[in-house]
Amino acid sequence: MPDRPRGPRLRRALLAALVTLAVAVPVSGAARPEAVSAPAPTALGPLRDASPAALEERYAVSRSDIRAAEPAADAHGDLKRAASLRGMAAPGRQFLSFDGRDGGRSVEVVGELSSARWIAVLVPGAGVGLDAYGRLRRDARALHRELGEDGAVIVWLGYRSPATISPATLTTGRADQAAPGLRALVDEVRAVRPAARISLLCHSYGSVICARSAPGTSADALVLYGSPGVGSDDAAALRTGARVWAGRGGDDWIARVPHVRVRVPFVATVGFGTDPVAEEFGAEVFDAGDGGHSDYLRPGSRSLTNLARIVAGAEPLGASR
């Protein structure tokens, strides 16, 4: 059931939703560039073997697919995409899969998946993609350095991320589409690395995807940070055996987003309900420091330290409940 706020809170939420829809729909529709074409990727199938040799073979195939997509971006005149793809195809990069079509999908490994004791799956939020992939790579490397050689980080860009200011960021539509792919990846990693500890690190809109994939997940921990809410009233509604954590930086603007769900006639249910760091949600709250919305994996930050500790199965530093 949607939350049913009363009085001024309801009016503010409705106004925010309607204004966003009224502004973002025509602007995003008018400004959206033509999709950059790319060839179909090699059919790889599910991950079934995490031996070093098998992984290297898979990485090589994905590297070839990335290189094949670069000329298409050049021909389209998208120099930013082409430059990003050149970086992604560099020697030593490790992609379990890549598909340059429809905005792009990729799954990259930082570290040694074949031997890692702790595996973090980064699930990004809105406003990321192949064109802005550098910041995902930066965050993954920072987390891997914090974890050390016993850890591996999987950057899961398995969906078409919505623009930061767009109607898609207000509903669960993209998350509903993305969740089966995330659940499948976690199941595959669990099958090939059964003894490893697997944590989903879910940022912003990515937390909505994680919540949608949570029922029955084989992940050990589900970490929601910078979250607008997940579309569930509380952690129990996620129907997961994973330990559920939540955190928010002291300077994160997401705190000002109304934590409601409102049904907008003829459109959709807008908003994601209960704040994951609120006591009534029931998650274990960790100290995420004083950073902003994009600072959770900043080197030297309290949030990075605590995210790494959760991934490694240790208790985070600072106050929690």
Side-chain angles (χ1 to χ4, degrees):
M1 291 288 293
D3 296 340
R4 298 184 181 277
R6 296 291 185 263
R9 189 182 181 202
L10 175 58
R11 287 193 293 272
R12 287 197 302 269
L14 279 170
L15 181 62
L18 292 172
V19 168
T20 302
L21 288 167
V23 173
V25 169
V27 170
S28 61
R32 183 180 177 185
E34 183 182 356
V36 179
S37 62
T42 305
L44 286 171
L47 179 65
R48 301 188 186 280
D49 187 348
S51 67
L55 287 173
E56 184 50 49
E57 182 178 349
R58 192 177 182 104
Y59 297 154
V61 171
S62 294
R63 191 175 302 119
S64 178
D65 286 339
I66 296 169
R67 288 174 176 159
E70 184 191 334
D74 272 326
H76 186 82
D78 194 328
L79 302 182
K80 187 175 182 180
R81 171 71 61 86
S84 180
L85 292 173
R86 280 193 294 275
M88 294 169 75
R93 299 289 291 271
Q94 304 177 147
F95 284 85
L96 291 172
S97 63
F98 173 83
D99 186 344
R101 300 171 299 176
D102 187 32
R105 311 284 190 277
S106 65
V107 181
E108 184 176 16
V109 177
V110 178
E112 297 301 328
L113 185 60
S114 61
S115 59
R117 295 170 54 199
W118 315 312
I119 299 170
V121 181
L122 293 186
V123 183
V128 299
L130 297 186
D131 295 342
Y133 191 84
R135 75 192 205 203
L136 290 178
R137 169 75 172 175
R138 175 202 66 199
D139 287 348
R141 294 184 69 185
L143 178 59
H144 181 247
R145 285 192 297 269
E146 191 76 16
L147 289 170
E149 294 307 311
D150 282 334
V153 180
I154 298 176
V155 184
W156 182 82
L157 184 58
Y159 75 116
R160 184 160 59 89
S161 171
T164 303
I165 301 176
S166 69
T169 62
L170 299 174
T171 72
T172 64
R174 295 280 178 91
D176 292 332
Q177 296 169 11
L182 178 59
R183 186 182 298 114
L185 173 71
V186 174
D187 287 346
E188 290 169 24
V189 173
R190 175 61 71 200
V192 297
R193 297 303 322 284
R197 175 179 170 80
I198 302 173
S199 300
L200 292 175
L201 302 192
C202 316
H203 179 237
S204 195
Y205 189 82
S207 64
V208 186
I209 300 172
C210 287
R212 287 302 195 258
S213 73
T217 183
S218 57
D220 298 287
L222 182 68
V223 190
L224 316 170
Y225 55 102
S227 174
V230 298
S232 297
D233 292 331
D234 52 39
L238 300 180
R239 305 196 312 278
T240 180
R243 193 173 178 182
V244 180
W245 292 91
R248 184 167 64 225
D251 197 32
D252 190 341
W253 57 261
I254 206 77
R256 298 189 292 275
V257 171
H259 292 285
V260 296
R261 282 182 289 165
V262 178
R263 192 174 303 280
V264 178
F266 312 111
V267 181
T269 297
V270 175
F272 302 108
T274 312
D275 186 347
V277 301
E279 186 173 358
E280 59 265 31
F281 187 78
E284 298 184 70
V285 177
F286 68 94
D287 182 0
D290 57 2
H293 192 64
S294 300
D295 297 334
Y296 289 92
L297 295 173
R298 188 183 70 233
S301 64
R302 173 56 68 95
S303 53
L304 175 60
T305 296
N306 278 340
L307 286 168
R309 290 179 67 87
I310 292 170
V311 170
E315 292 299 306
L317 302 175
S320 64
R321 65 170 188 268

